[in-house]
Amino acid sequence: MPSEFYQCFESIMKEEYPSSLPIAQHMDLRKTVSPYVIQLPSKVLDRAREAVHQLYHLSRSAKFRQAIATKDSELLTHPTKNNSVLMAYDFHSGETKDSLIEVNTNAAMYLITDVIHRCHGDTYRLTPPSLDQLKQSFVEEYRLFYGGNGEPRKIVITDEKIEEQNRYIEFLMYKDLFTKWKWEPEIVSFEKLKIDKDRQALLTPGGEKIDFLYNRYCDFYLNRPESIHLRQAFMQGWCLFSPNPYEYLVLADKYRMIELGSQSFQQGIGSDSADWDAINQFVLPTREARSYENPDSLWAERKRLFFKPKNQYGGKSVYRGERISRTVFQRALDEDFLVQEFAPAPEPKFRQKDVDPKGWKFDLRFYVYQDKIQNVVARLYKGQVTNFSTDFGGFAAVEFL
C-alpha cells in the first residue's frame, strides 16, 4: 500500500538523515518518490552492465582521448589520478536492446534511491549493499589521488546557490552519512572556497584544507570567470575533485554521443580499442542541428527526433520533435542543439497488479563507479519528459526477474 511505503520512507529519513527533516517535511513525496515497483527482465541489467563496461574502457583508451573533439584541450593533457563518484547512465529499455539517452556526472538521488529500495526490501538486490559500495568508491577515489590506505578527513560538498537547489535535501543527507563514516563534512557554496598558493591547497571559508571536494557544481569544465579558483586547484592537483572536469570531458559531454555514433570516428579509433558492434547496440544516432543541409530537411524529419541543448542538464530545454514549435525549432538551430534519434520511453510493468500502466512512462538510471553498477532507479512519469508532477510518479524501485 502507498501509505505503508511512505511511512517507511519517512521513518528511515528521520532515523538516518535527521539533518534533512526540515526540508523533507515540506516535500511532496507523492510526486518525488513512487511507491510502485517496476519489473524488468534480468537481461536489461546484463545489457546495461555491458554498455557501462564498453564505454568506461573506451574512455581510458589513448586513441579515444586523442580523437575526441574539445574546446578545452588543456584538460586532455592533465588526466586525473582518480575517476568520478556517482556517474549515471540513463537508458530507455526495450525488448531486445536499450538506448543510451545520456551519461551524467553529478548524478542526484542515489541516497533517496537507497531508501526507496530498502522500503520494498526485495527489489534490486545489491552485493555489497549500495551504501557500502558508495563508501568504497569515495575511499578508492581518495587512495587513487593521494596513494596509501587512508580515508578522507575533511570533505566538502559544493554547488552554487546551494540552499536553492532542488536536491538540497540530498546534500544534507550526505552530510549525515559522511559524519556517520567518521569524516568531517561541510556544505559550502563554491564561491566561498579559496585557494592558498603557499600551502598548495583548496580551503574552506574557515581556512581548513580540503581533502575531498564532492563536486556537484554544474560548471562542468570550471571555465566560468567565477570558477577560476576551482579551475586552478583542479589543474594543479591541489585537491581531489570528484566528479571532475576530466571525467565529464571523456564520458559525459553530450558531444561524445555524436562521436560514438559516427562511422568515421569509429574507424579512426579502430577495433583494437573498442567493440563497436557492442557499442552500436545502445548508442543512438546523434547529430548537431546545423549539420543538416537546410532547416527544411530537419523540420521534415522532426517527428522521429529529439532535441536537446549541448550544455544543459537535468532535462532542461529538452523537446520531442513531434511537438516542437517553430519558435523552439528556430532556437534549436540558433543554439545548435543536439538532434537525437527518438527512442520512445517504454510503458512500465508494475509489480502492483492493481495499477493501470496506461499513460505511464519511465527511464532507467544506473549509478556507476568506474565500470561497476552500484545502484539503479527508474524515473516514472506521464507526459513528454520526466517532470515530477504526477502523483505516485518520480523515483521508483526496479526489480529484475
Side-chain angles (χ1 to χ4, degrees), residues 214-248:
Y214 174 34
N215 178 31
R216 291 287 289 266
Y217 178 37
C218 291
D219 178 10
F220 299 114
Y221 284 125
L222 302 179
N223 55 14
R224 298 176 189 166
E226 61 269 28
S227 309
I228 191 169
H229 60 307
L230 296 185
R231 173 87 177 196
Q232 183 174 0
F234 173 71
M235 298 301 292
Q236 296 293 334
W238 290 348
C239 180
L240 163 57
F241 283 64
S242 188
N244 63 67
Y246 181 81
E247 208 73 1
Y248 178 83

Side-chain angles (χ1 to χ4, degrees), residues 56-225:
Y56 177 76
H57 287 278
L58 174 62
S59 72
R60 307 302 108 172
S61 159
K63 284 188 176 181
F64 177 80
R65 293 196 299 268
Q66 292 164 4
I68 61 177
T70 177
K71 296 178 181 178
D72 197 336
S73 57
E74 184 182 22
L75 280 177
L76 282 175
T77 62
H78 289 77
T80 57
K81 298 176 184 176
N82 60 295
N83 297 274
S84 279
V85 294
L86 291 157
M87 299 286 289
Y89 292 64
D90 297 343
F91 290 88
H92 283 168
S93 64
E95 285 293 325
T96 59
K97 61 179 291 185
D98 311 300
S99 299
L100 178 68
I101 306 304
E102 60 186 13
V103 180
N104 295 287
T105 53
N106 300 44
M109 304 301 272
Y110 186 103
L111 299 185
I112 295 288
T113 294
D114 175 72
V115 176
I116 292 169
H117 279 287
R118 287 163 62 190
C119 283
H120 292 289
D122 59 351
T123 50
Y124 175 42
R125 301 180 188 278
L126 294 159
T127 306
S130 61
L131 291 187
D132 291 351
Q133 292 193 54
L134 183 66
K135 181 179 181 181
Q136 185 55 43
S137 66
F138 274 83
V139 171
E140 176 72 8
E141 287 286 273
Y142 182 85
R143 294 174 181 177
L144 285 171
F145 190 82
Y146 293 105
N149 296 311
E151 293 188 8
R153 184 187 64 84
K154 187 64 184 179
I155 183 166
V156 166
I157 305 156
T158 197
D159 201 342
E160 61 182 327
K161 301 178 182 177
I162 285 183
E163 294 187 8
E164 299 176 22
Q165 294 295 329
N166 290 334
R167 306 308 181 200
Y168 178 57
I169 185 173
E170 197 177 32
F171 295 173
L172 297 171
M173 294 172 71
Y174 276 111
K175 185 177 180 181
D176 287 339
L177 184 64
F178 294 157
T179 300
K180 181 181 178 181
W181 291 346
K182 303 189 183 307
W183 302 343
E184 298 175 18
E186 190 172 345
I187 301 173
V188 183
S189 190
F190 84 95
E191 75 277 1
K192 295 181 180 179
L193 301 174
K194 51 190 179 182
I195 56 173
D196 186 321
K197 295 181 180 178
D198 293 333
R199 295 169 64 183
Q200 296 187 344
L202 185 66
L203 307 181
T204 68
E208 288 186 86
K209 182 177 180 179
I210 301 169
D211 295 328
F212 194 125
L213 190 72
Y214 174 34
N215 178 31
R216 291 287 289 266
Y217 178 37
C218 291
D219 178 10
F220 299 114
Y221 284 125
L222 302 179
N223 55 14
R224 298 176 189 166

Side-chain angles (χ1 to χ4, degrees), residues 286-306:
T286 305
R287 296 173 59 179
E288 292 173 293
R290 292 177 187 166
S291 71
Y292 282 77
E293 292 182 4
N294 60 71
D296 290 338
S297 63
L298 177 56
W299 177 259
E301 295 182 27
R302 72 190 186 284
K303 292 184 179 181
R304 64 174 188 84
L305 300 172
F306 213 72

Side-chain angles (χ1 to χ4, degrees), residues 5 34-40 116-117 119-124 348-353 355 362 378 380 392 395-401:
F5 169 83
S34 173
Y36 303 147
V37 177
I38 294 176
Q39 296 181 324
L40 289 165
I116 292 169
H117 279 287
C119 283
H120 292 289
D122 59 351
T123 50
Y124 175 42
K349 175 186 177 184
F350 292 120
R351 176 196 283 180
Q352 293 85 352
K353 303 305 179 187
V355 180
F362 73 98
L380 183 64
F392 301 144
F395 290 87
V398 176
E399 176 180 34
F400 294 104
L401 303 176

Side-chain angles (χ1 to χ4, degrees), residues 48-60 83-84 87 89 247 251 367-374:
R49 284 176 171 149
E50 176 66 13
V52 168
H53 173 83
Q54 291 291 340
L55 289 185
Y56 177 76
H57 287 278
L58 174 62
S59 72
R60 307 302 108 172
N83 297 274
S84 279
M87 299 286 289
Y89 292 64
E247 208 73 1
L251 277 169
Y367 296 95
V368 170
Y369 178 62
Q370 296 178 348
D371 63 347
K372 296 178 177 60
I373 291 174
Q374 298 176 300

